[in-house]
Amino acid sequence: MEIFMKMSTTARHNRLAGTFFSRIVNLLEKKEVYAMHEEGALVYWGEKKELDFIRLVDVTEIKDVDEFTKEIIHDLNYVQPDFFLFKKNPFLHNKRETKIAGYPDLIVEVWSVDNTTFDRKIKLDLYSSSPITEHWYIEQNSNEVVCYYGDKRLENQCLMNVLVTRDGLEFDLRYLAI
């Protein structure tokens, strides 16, 4: 089992990633979303060495959910996005809720200078393997948010505006704009 990259520890990175989580606390309390902020691992099929074959787990294809959540999920490779959430899309998790399988509704990565071109490509390819996942990328020293839905590039957003998902979730991070 391998993890792709270590978490960045700069103050701006932590503020950006943490604020996504804090902005949906009311939805979490109402159980309208299931979200993770850096402590959760998103599992995937395949090996980092075979980039053409890595893909997020489509839980609708899982035949034996009990076996998957008790045995298989532990042996899968994983990434730790800065933030991800499930609103409509199904997911499965292990007993401790640390390893999650499925196509998140939204994944957010905050890039720093420590993120190599290879790491960025892997995560973009992996998240693009889900046709129903919106994924956003924020350069740590920028206000630009690069957005995708599946493998389709969307119009960029900006931290100087309220960020809005395709499903209408809003994240007001304007106070973090530089």
Side-chain angles (χ1 to χ4, degrees), residues 20-59:
F20 276 95
F21 193 79
S22 68
R23 295 297 180 217
I24 59 158
V25 169
N26 62 332
L27 296 176
L28 287 166
E29 289 170 353
K30 296 178 197 172
K31 300 199 184 313
E32 292 180 28
V33 298
Y34 181 86
M36 299 298 269
H37 163 54
E38 293 183 330
E39 74 277 5
L42 190 58
V43 299
Y44 65 91
W45 300 115
E47 299 284 332
K48 186 167 99 171
K49 296 171 235 142
E50 301 173 3
L51 294 181
D52 292 340
F53 300 105
I54 63 171
R55 62 185 171 91
L56 292 175
V57 177
D58 181 352
V59 297

mmCIF file of all heavy atoms in Angstrom, residues 20-59:
data_model
loop_
_atom_site.group_PDB
_atom_site.id
_atom_site.type_symbol
_atom_site.label_atom_id
_atom_site.label_comp_id
_atom_site.label_asym_id
_atom_site.label_seq_id
_atom_site.Cartn_x
_atom_site.Cartn_y
_atom_site.Cartn_z
ATOM 1 N N PHE A 20 -12.734 24.804 3.721
ATOM 2 C CA PHE A 20 -13.754 24.049 2.989
ATOM 3 C C PHE A 20 -14.576 23.228 3.974
ATOM 4 O O PHE A 20 -15.797 23.207 3.919
ATOM 5 C CB PHE A 20 -13.112 23.121 1.945
ATOM 6 C CG PHE A 20 -12.813 23.802 0.653
ATOM 7 C CD1 PHE A 20 -11.559 24.333 0.413
ATOM 8 C CD2 PHE A 20 -13.792 23.935 -0.315
ATOM 9 C CE1 PHE A 20 -11.282 24.976 -0.777
ATOM 10 C CE2 PHE A 20 -13.531 24.575 -1.506
ATOM 11 C CZ PHE A 20 -12.263 25.107 -1.735
ATOM 12 N N PHE A 21 -13.901 22.562 4.894
ATOM 13 C CA PHE A 21 -14.584 21.723 5.868
ATOM 14 C C PHE A 21 -15.466 22.569 6.783
ATOM 15 O O PHE A 21 -16.626 22.228 7.016
ATOM 16 C CB PHE A 21 -13.549 20.942 6.683
ATOM 17 C CG PHE A 21 -14.146 19.839 7.486
ATOM 18 C CD1 PHE A 21 -14.486 18.641 6.885
ATOM 19 C CD2 PHE A 21 -14.370 19.993 8.839
ATOM 20 C CE1 PHE A 21 -15.039 17.611 7.630
ATOM 21 C CE2 PHE A 21 -14.919 18.969 9.590
ATOM 22 C CZ PHE A 21 -15.258 17.772 8.987
ATOM 23 N N SER A 22 -14.948 23.672 7.276
ATOM 24 C CA SER A 22 -15.718 24.492 8.219
ATOM 25 C C SER A 22 -16.954 25.112 7.576
ATOM 26 O O SER A 22 -17.928 25.399 8.260
ATOM 27 C CB SER A 22 -14.831 25.579 8.820
ATOM 28 O OG SER A 22 -14.460 26.523 7.844
ATOM 29 N N ARG A 23 -16.934 25.302 6.266
ATOM 30 C CA ARG A 23 -18.058 25.933 5.577
ATOM 31 C C ARG A 23 -19.266 25.004 5.414
ATOM 32 O O ARG A 23 -20.341 25.457 5.026
ATOM 33 C CB ARG A 23 -17.649 26.451 4.201
ATOM 34 C CG ARG A 23 -16.654 27.557 4.236
ATOM 35 C CD ARG A 23 -17.240 28.767 4.938
ATOM 36 N NE ARG A 23 -16.283 29.846 4.972
ATOM 37 C CZ ARG A 23 -16.145 30.665 5.982
ATOM 38 N NH1 ARG A 23 -16.890 30.552 7.046
ATOM 39 N NH2 ARG A 23 -15.257 31.628 5.956
ATOM 40 N N ILE A 24 -19.106 23.725 5.692
ATOM 41 C CA ILE A 24 -20.233 22.800 5.518
ATOM 42 C C ILE A 24 -20.651 22.127 6.821
ATOM 43 O O ILE A 24 -21.376 21.142 6.815
ATOM 44 C CB ILE A 24 -19.914 21.720 4.465
ATOM 45 C CG1 ILE A 24 -18.697 20.922 4.878
ATOM 46 C CG2 ILE A 24 -19.756 22.313 3.093
ATOM 47 C CD1 ILE A 24 -18.626 19.589 4.225
ATOM 48 N N VAL A 25 -20.218 22.676 7.956
ATOM 49 C CA VAL A 25 -20.532 22.073 9.249
ATOM 50 C C VAL A 25 -22.036 21.879 9.420
ATOM 51 O O VAL A 25 -22.487 20.835 9.889
ATOM 52 C CB VAL A 25 -19.929 22.909 10.410
ATOM 53 C CG1 VAL A 25 -20.465 22.459 11.752
ATOM 54 C CG2 VAL A 25 -18.413 22.795 10.374
ATOM 55 N N ASN A 26 -22.839 22.864 9.035
ATOM 56 C CA ASN A 26 -24.295 22.724 9.187
ATOM 57 C C ASN A 26 -24.835 21.562 8.343
ATOM 58 O O ASN A 26 -25.750 20.861 8.759
ATOM 59 C CB ASN A 26 -25.018 24.026 8.860
ATOM 60 C CG ASN A 26 -24.821 24.477 7.428
ATOM 61 O OD1 ASN A 26 -23.798 24.170 6.806
ATOM 62 N ND2 ASN A 26 -25.777 25.210 6.897
ATOM 63 N N LEU A 27 -24.277 21.329 7.158
ATOM 64 C CA LEU A 27 -24.703 20.197 6.325
ATOM 65 C C LEU A 27 -24.263 18.871 6.945
ATOM 66 O O LEU A 27 -24.965 17.868 6.860
ATOM 67 C CB LEU A 27 -24.154 20.324 4.907
ATOM 68 C CG LEU A 27 -24.636 21.522 4.096
ATOM 69 C CD1 LEU A 27 -23.925 21.577 2.751
ATOM 70 C CD2 LEU A 27 -26.142 21.466 3.898
ATOM 71 N N LEU A 28 -23.079 18.871 7.564
ATOM 72 C CA LEU A 28 -22.599 17.665 8.253
ATOM 73 C C LEU A 28 -23.520 17.317 9.417
ATOM 74 O O LEU A 28 -23.878 16.154 9.614
ATOM 75 C CB LEU A 28 -21.180 17.874 8.774
ATOM 76 C CG LEU A 28 -20.069 17.893 7.749
ATOM 77 C CD1 LEU A 28 -18.782 18.446 8.352
ATOM 78 C CD2 LEU A 28 -19.834 16.501 7.203
ATOM 79 N N GLU A 29 -23.896 18.318 10.194
ATOM 80 C CA GLU A 29 -24.764 18.090 11.356
ATOM 81 C C GLU A 29 -26.122 17.540 10.939
ATOM 82 O O GLU A 29 -26.708 16.720 11.624
ATOM 83 C CB GLU A 29 -24.928 19.384 12.146
ATOM 84 C CG GLU A 29 -23.656 19.788 12.872
ATOM 85 C CD GLU A 29 -23.715 21.182 13.472
ATOM 86 O OE1 GLU A 29 -24.692 21.924 13.220
ATOM 87 O OE2 GLU A 29 -22.753 21.538 14.186
ATOM 88 N N LYS A 30 -26.624 17.994 9.807
ATOM 89 C CA LYS A 30 -27.914 17.508 9.299
ATOM 90 C C LYS A 30 -27.765 16.198 8.535
ATOM 91 O O LYS A 30 -28.748 15.669 8.020
ATOM 92 C CB LYS A 30 -28.530 18.555 8.361
ATOM 93 C CG LYS A 30 -28.879 19.855 9.021
ATOM 94 C CD LYS A 30 -29.440 20.803 7.970
ATOM 95 C CE LYS A 30 -29.429 22.219 8.423
ATOM 96 N NZ LYS A 30 -29.785 23.149 7.350
ATOM 97 N N LYS A 31 -26.519 15.705 8.416
ATOM 98 C CA LYS A 31 -26.206 14.475 7.682
ATOM 99 C C LYS A 31 -26.588 14.562 6.199
ATOM 100 O O LYS A 31 -26.972 13.583 5.588
ATOM 101 C CB LYS A 31 -26.836 13.267 8.348
ATOM 102 C CG LYS A 31 -26.362 13.068 9.781
ATOM 103 C CD LYS A 31 -26.612 11.689 10.266
ATOM 104 C CE LYS A 31 -26.255 11.461 11.705
ATOM 105 N NZ LYS A 31 -25.040 11.898 12.235
ATOM 106 N N GLU A 32 -26.485 15.777 5.646
ATOM 107 C CA GLU A 32 -26.750 15.984 4.225
ATOM 108 C C GLU A 32 -25.515 15.722 3.379
ATOM 109 O O GLU A 32 -25.620 15.533 2.172
ATOM 110 C CB GLU A 32 -27.256 17.404 3.980
ATOM 111 C CG GLU A 32 -28.628 17.651 4.564
ATOM 112 C CD GLU A 32 -29.104 19.073 4.312
ATOM 113 O OE1 GLU A 32 -28.690 19.686 3.324
ATOM 114 O OE2 GLU A 32 -29.903 19.561 5.131
ATOM 115 N N VAL A 33 -24.346 15.747 4.013
ATOM 116 C CA VAL A 33 -23.094 15.428 3.321
ATOM 117 C C VAL A 33 -22.213 14.610 4.253
ATOM 118 O O VAL A 33 -22.382 14.619 5.471
ATOM 119 C CB VAL A 33 -22.305 16.691 2.864
ATOM 120 C CG1 VAL A 33 -23.100 17.521 1.877
ATOM 121 C CG2 VAL A 33 -21.848 17.507 4.033
ATOM 122 N N TYR A 34 -21.270 13.903 3.643
ATOM 123 C CA TYR A 34 -20.228 13.195 4.374
ATOM 124 C C TYR A 34 -18.928 13.762 3.837
ATOM 125 O O TYR A 34 -18.677 13.697 2.636
ATOM 126 C CB TYR A 34 -20.325 11.690 4.103
ATOM 127 C CG TYR A 34 -19.301 10.872 4.844
ATOM 128 C CD1 TYR A 34 -19.550 10.443 6.139
ATOM 129 C CD2 TYR A 34 -18.094 10.532 4.249
ATOM 130 C CE1 TYR A 34 -18.619 9.685 6.831
ATOM 131 C CE2 TYR A 34 -17.158 9.772 4.933
ATOM 132 C CZ TYR A 34 -17.425 9.359 6.218
ATOM 133 O OH TYR A 34 -16.492 8.613 6.893
ATOM 134 N N ALA A 35 -18.122 14.367 4.707
ATOM 135 C CA ALA A 35 -16.918 15.053 4.228
ATOM 136 C C ALA A 35 -15.711 14.672 5.058
ATOM 137 O O ALA A 35 -15.827 14.314 6.235
ATOM 138 C CB ALA A 35 -17.127 16.563 4.293
ATOM 139 N N MET A 36 -14.548 14.768 4.427
ATOM 140 C CA MET A 36 -13.273 14.490 5.082
ATOM 141 C C MET A 36 -12.308 15.623 4.765
ATOM 142 O O MET A 36 -12.288 16.128 3.646
ATOM 143 C CB MET A 36 -12.679 13.177 4.588
ATOM 144 C CG MET A 36 -13.536 11.954 4.858
ATOM 145 S SD MET A 36 -13.799 11.642 6.599
ATOM 146 C CE MET A 36 -12.442 10.568 6.937
ATOM 147 N N HIS A 37 -11.514 15.965 5.763
ATOM 148 C CA HIS A 37 -10.488 17.000 5.604
ATOM 149 C C HIS A 37 -9.155 16.408 6.032
ATOM 150 O O HIS A 37 -8.887 16.295 7.224
ATOM 151 C CB HIS A 37 -10.861 18.212 6.446
ATOM 152 C CG HIS A 37 -9.741 19.165 6.702
ATOM 153 N ND1 HIS A 37 -8.986 19.709 5.691
ATOM 154 C CD2 HIS A 37 -9.238 19.671 7.850
ATOM 155 C CE1 HIS A 37 -8.072 20.509 6.221
ATOM 156 N NE2 HIS A 37 -8.217 20.501 7.523
ATOM 157 N N GLU A 38 -8.381 15.949 5.101
ATOM 158 C CA GLU A 38 -7.026 15.439 5.250
ATOM 159 C C GLU A 38 -6.891 14.179 6.102
ATOM 160 O O GLU A 38 -5.927 13.473 5.970
ATOM 161 C CB GLU A 38 -6.080 16.527 5.752
ATOM 162 C CG GLU A 38 -5.893 17.623 4.736
ATOM 163 C CD GLU A 38 -4.906 18.687 5.177
ATOM 164 O OE1 GLU A 38 -4.787 18.924 6.393
ATOM 165 O OE2 GLU A 38 -4.269 19.280 4.301
ATOM 166 N N GLU A 39 -7.807 13.885 6.983
ATOM 167 C CA GLU A 39 -7.664 12.685 7.799
ATOM 168 C C GLU A 39 -8.207 11.438 7.094
ATOM 169 O O GLU A 39 -7.924 10.327 7.504
ATOM 170 C CB GLU A 39 -8.326 12.850 9.172
ATOM 171 C CG GLU A 39 -9.848 12.808 9.158
ATOM 172 C CD GLU A 39 -10.503 14.145 8.800
ATOM 173 O OE1 GLU A 39 -9.810 15.100 8.464
ATOM 174 O OE2 GLU A 39 -11.742 14.195 8.856
ATOM 175 N N GLY A 40 -8.978 11.615 6.060
ATOM 176 C CA GLY A 40 -9.563 10.495 5.348
ATOM 177 C C GLY A 40 -8.746 10.109 4.133
ATOM 178 O O GLY A 40 -8.093 10.944 3.512
ATOM 179 N N ALA A 41 -8.768 8.837 3.812
ATOM 180 C CA ALA A 41 -8.035 8.330 2.657
ATOM 181 C C ALA A 41 -9.028 7.820 1.625
ATOM 182 O O ALA A 41 -9.947 7.073 1.949
ATOM 183 C CB ALA A 41 -7.099 7.205 3.091
ATOM 184 N N LEU A 42 -8.839 8.221 0.392
ATOM 185 C CA LEU A 42 -9.689 7.808 -0.721
ATOM 186 C C LEU A 42 -8.976 6.667 -1.449
ATOM 187 O O LEU A 42 -7.880 6.867 -1.975
ATOM 188 C CB LEU A 42 -9.916 9.004 -1.642
ATOM 189 C CG LEU A 42 -10.959 8.891 -2.735
ATOM 190 C CD1 LEU A 42 -12.340 8.579 -2.155
ATOM 191 C CD2 LEU A 42 -11.018 10.190 -3.528
ATOM 192 N N VAL A 43 -9.582 5.484 -1.424
ATOM 193 C CA VAL A 43 -8.918 4.313 -2.005
ATOM 194 C C VAL A 43 -9.158 4.235 -3.503
ATOM 195 O O VAL A 43 -10.118 4.793 -4.025
ATOM 196 C CB VAL A 43 -9.368 2.999 -1.325
ATOM 197 C CG1 VAL A 43 -9.020 3.003 0.156
ATOM 198 C CG2 VAL A 43 -10.856 2.738 -1.523
ATOM 199 N N TYR A 44 -8.264 3.508 -4.180
ATOM 200 C CA TYR A 44 -8.376 3.352 -5.623
ATOM 201 C C TYR A 44 -7.858 1.991 -6.048
ATOM 202 O O TYR A 44 -7.103 1.333 -5.338
ATOM 203 C CB TYR A 44 -7.643 4.480 -6.361
ATOM 204 C CG TYR A 44 -6.145 4.500 -6.152
ATOM 205 C CD1 TYR A 44 -5.292 3.815 -7.014
ATOM 206 C CD2 TYR A 44 -5.576 5.208 -5.113
ATOM 207 C CE1 TYR A 44 -3.918 3.831 -6.832
ATOM 208 C CE2 TYR A 44 -4.205 5.235 -4.925
ATOM 209 C CZ TYR A 44 -3.380 4.542 -5.786
ATOM 210 O OH TYR A 44 -2.025 4.559 -5.601
ATOM 211 N N TRP A 45 -8.303 1.574 -7.230
ATOM 212 C CA TRP A 45 -7.830 0.338 -7.848
ATOM 213 C C TRP A 45 -6.545 0.642 -8.608
ATOM 214 O O TRP A 45 -6.421 1.693 -9.220
ATOM 215 C CB TRP A 45 -8.843 -0.218 -8.849
ATOM 216 C CG TRP A 45 -10.195 -0.559 -8.325
ATOM 217 C CD1 TRP A 45 -11.368 0.050 -8.669
ATOM 218 C CD2 TRP A 45 -10.556 -1.591 -7.408
ATOM 219 N NE1 TRP A 45 -12.428 -0.527 -8.011
ATOM 220 C CE2 TRP A 45 -11.954 -1.549 -7.228
ATOM 221 C CE3 TRP A 45 -9.823 -2.548 -6.692
ATOM 222 C CZ2 TRP A 45 -12.633 -2.424 -6.389
ATOM 223 C CZ3 TRP A 45 -10.500 -3.414 -5.853
ATOM 224 C CH2 TRP A 45 -11.883 -3.355 -5.709
ATOM 225 N N GLY A 46 -5.628 -0.289 -8.605
ATOM 226 C CA GLY A 46 -4.433 -0.160 -9.427
ATOM 227 C C GLY A 46 -3.199 0.234 -8.646
ATOM 228 O O GLY A 46 -3.238 0.435 -7.434
ATOM 229 N N GLU A 47 -2.104 0.349 -9.384
ATOM 230 C CA GLU A 47 -0.803 0.674 -8.819
ATOM 231 C C GLU A 47 -0.282 1.964 -9.437
ATOM 232 O O GLU A 47 -0.478 2.201 -10.621
ATOM 233 C CB GLU A 47 0.206 -0.451 -9.125
ATOM 234 C CG GLU A 47 -0.168 -1.799 -8.553
ATOM 235 C CD GLU A 47 0.093 -1.878 -7.066
ATOM 236 O OE1 GLU A 47 0.993 -1.166 -6.577
ATOM 237 O OE2 GLU A 47 -0.610 -2.642 -6.384
ATOM 238 N N LYS A 48 0.424 2.736 -8.664
ATOM 239 C CA LYS A 48 0.997 3.989 -9.138
ATOM 240 C C LYS A 48 1.926 3.752 -10.331
ATOM 241 O O LYS A 48 2.055 4.608 -11.197
ATOM 242 C CB LYS A 48 1.756 4.646 -7.983
ATOM 243 C CG LYS A 48 2.274 6.018 -8.283
ATOM 244 C CD LYS A 48 2.707 6.708 -7.018
ATOM 245 C CE LYS A 48 4.188 6.634 -6.832
ATOM 246 N NZ LYS A 48 4.670 7.472 -5.745
ATOM 247 N N LYS A 49 2.534 2.572 -10.390
ATOM 248 C CA LYS A 49 3.458 2.253 -11.481
ATOM 249 C C LYS A 49 2.742 2.081 -12.821
ATOM 250 O O LYS A 49 3.352 2.142 -13.865
ATOM 251 C CB LYS A 49 4.232 0.977 -11.159
ATOM 252 C CG LYS A 49 5.121 1.096 -9.952
ATOM 253 C CD LYS A 49 5.678 -0.262 -9.586
ATOM 254 C CE LYS A 49 5.332 -0.521 -8.165
ATOM 255 N NZ LYS A 49 4.968 -1.736 -7.687
ATOM 256 N N GLU A 50 1.450 1.815 -12.784
ATOM 257 C CA GLU A 50 0.665 1.591 -14.002
ATOM 258 C C GLU A 50 -0.420 2.656 -14.102
ATOM 259 O O GLU A 50 -1.601 2.386 -13.912
ATOM 260 C CB GLU A 50 0.055 0.193 -13.973
ATOM 261 C CG GLU A 50 1.096 -0.914 -13.870
ATOM 262 C CD GLU A 50 0.461 -2.284 -13.669
ATOM 263 O OE1 GLU A 50 -0.778 -2.395 -13.672
ATOM 264 O OE2 GLU A 50 1.231 -3.241 -13.504
ATOM 265 N N LEU A 51 -0.006 3.864 -14.426
ATOM 266 C CA LEU A 51 -0.912 5.012 -14.389
ATOM 267 C C LEU A 51 -2.137 4.861 -15.286
ATOM 268 O O LEU A 51 -3.191 5.409 -14.982
ATOM 269 C CB LEU A 51 -0.166 6.286 -14.760
ATOM 270 C CG LEU A 51 0.908 6.717 -13.770
ATOM 271 C CD1 LEU A 51 1.559 8.008 -14.220
ATOM 272 C CD2 LEU A 51 0.341 6.867 -12.383
ATOM 273 N N ASP A 52 -2.013 4.123 -16.371
ATOM 274 C CA ASP A 52 -3.157 3.957 -17.277
ATOM 275 C C ASP A 52 -4.273 3.131 -16.653
ATOM 276 O O ASP A 52 -5.394 3.126 -17.161
ATOM 277 C CB ASP A 52 -2.721 3.300 -18.590
ATOM 278 C CG ASP A 52 -1.837 4.215 -19.419
ATOM 279 O OD1 ASP A 52 -1.872 5.436 -19.196
ATOM 280 O OD2 ASP A 52 -1.104 3.705 -20.286
ATOM 281 N N PHE A 53 -3.986 2.457 -15.543
ATOM 282 C CA PHE A 53 -4.970 1.549 -14.974
ATOM 283 C C PHE A 53 -5.467 1.956 -13.595
ATOM 284 O O PHE A 53 -6.308 1.274 -13.024
ATOM 285 C CB PHE A 53 -4.392 0.129 -14.910
ATOM 286 C CG PHE A 53 -4.015 -0.399 -16.261
ATOM 287 C CD1 PHE A 53 -2.678 -0.472 -16.641
ATOM 288 C CD2 PHE A 53 -4.981 -0.780 -17.179
ATOM 289 C CE1 PHE A 53 -2.323 -0.937 -17.892
ATOM 290 C CE2 PHE A 53 -4.639 -1.244 -18.433
ATOM 291 C CZ PHE A 53 -3.309 -1.321 -18.795
ATOM 292 N N ILE A 54 -4.972 3.062 -13.040
ATOM 293 C CA ILE A 54 -5.482 3.469 -11.735
ATOM 294 C C ILE A 54 -6.834 4.146 -11.917
ATOM 295 O O ILE A 54 -7.069 4.842 -12.899
ATOM 296 C CB ILE A 54 -4.497 4.382 -10.969
ATOM 297 C CG1 ILE A 54 -4.256 5.701 -11.701
ATOM 298 C CG2 ILE A 54 -3.198 3.673 -10.677
ATOM 299 C CD1 ILE A 54 -3.465 6.711 -10.889
ATOM 300 N N ARG A 55 -7.730 3.884 -10.960
ATOM 301 C CA ARG A 55 -9.055 4.503 -11.029
ATOM 302 C C ARG A 55 -9.723 4.452 -9.661
ATOM 303 O O ARG A 55 -9.458 3.548 -8.862
ATOM 304 C CB ARG A 55 -9.937 3.835 -12.076
ATOM 305 C CG ARG A 55 -10.234 2.380 -11.832
ATOM 306 C CD ARG A 55 -11.018 1.743 -12.985
ATOM 307 N NE ARG A 55 -11.114 0.322 -12.830
ATOM 308 C CZ ARG A 55 -12.090 -0.313 -12.206
ATOM 309 N NH1 ARG A 55 -13.092 0.377 -11.691
ATOM 310 N NH2 ARG A 55 -12.103 -1.624 -12.104
ATOM 311 N N LEU A 56 -10.557 5.423 -9.417
ATOM 312 C CA LEU A 56 -11.332 5.423 -8.183
ATOM 313 C C LEU A 56 -12.300 4.245 -8.201
ATOM 314 O O LEU A 56 -12.662 3.745 -9.263
ATOM 315 C CB LEU A 56 -12.102 6.737 -8.035
ATOM 316 C CG LEU A 56 -11.245 7.978 -7.794
ATOM 317 C CD1 LEU A 56 -12.128 9.227 -7.782
ATOM 318 C CD2 LEU A 56 -10.471 7.865 -6.495
ATOM 319 N N VAL A 57 -12.725 3.818 -7.042
ATOM 320 C CA VAL A 57 -13.607 2.667 -6.902
ATOM 321 C C VAL A 57 -15.049 3.077 -7.152
ATOM 322 O O VAL A 57 -15.570 3.974 -6.482
ATOM 323 C CB VAL A 57 -13.473 2.046 -5.497
ATOM 324 C CG1 VAL A 57 -14.450 0.895 -5.309
ATOM 325 C CG2 VAL A 57 -12.037 1.591 -5.244
ATOM 326 N N ASP A 58 -15.693 2.417 -8.101
ATOM 327 C CA ASP A 58 -17.123 2.611 -8.343
ATOM 328 C C ASP A 58 -17.852 1.626 -7.431
ATOM 329 O O ASP A 58 -17.905 0.437 -7.707
ATOM 330 C CB ASP A 58 -17.454 2.350 -9.811
ATOM 331 C CG ASP A 58 -18.923 2.566 -10.138
ATOM 332 O OD1 ASP A 58 -19.738 2.775 -9.197
ATOM 333 O OD2 ASP A 58 -19.274 2.517 -11.328
ATOM 334 N N VAL A 59 -18.419 2.114 -6.333
ATOM 335 C CA VAL A 59 -19.018 1.215 -5.341
ATOM 336 C C VAL A 59 -20.276 0.527 -5.850
ATOM 337 O O VAL A 59 -20.699 -0.478 -5.286
ATOM 338 C CB VAL A 59 -19.293 1.930 -4.001
ATOM 339 C CG1 VAL A 59 -17.994 2.410 -3.376
ATOM 340 C CG2 VAL A 59 -20.274 3.071 -4.156
#
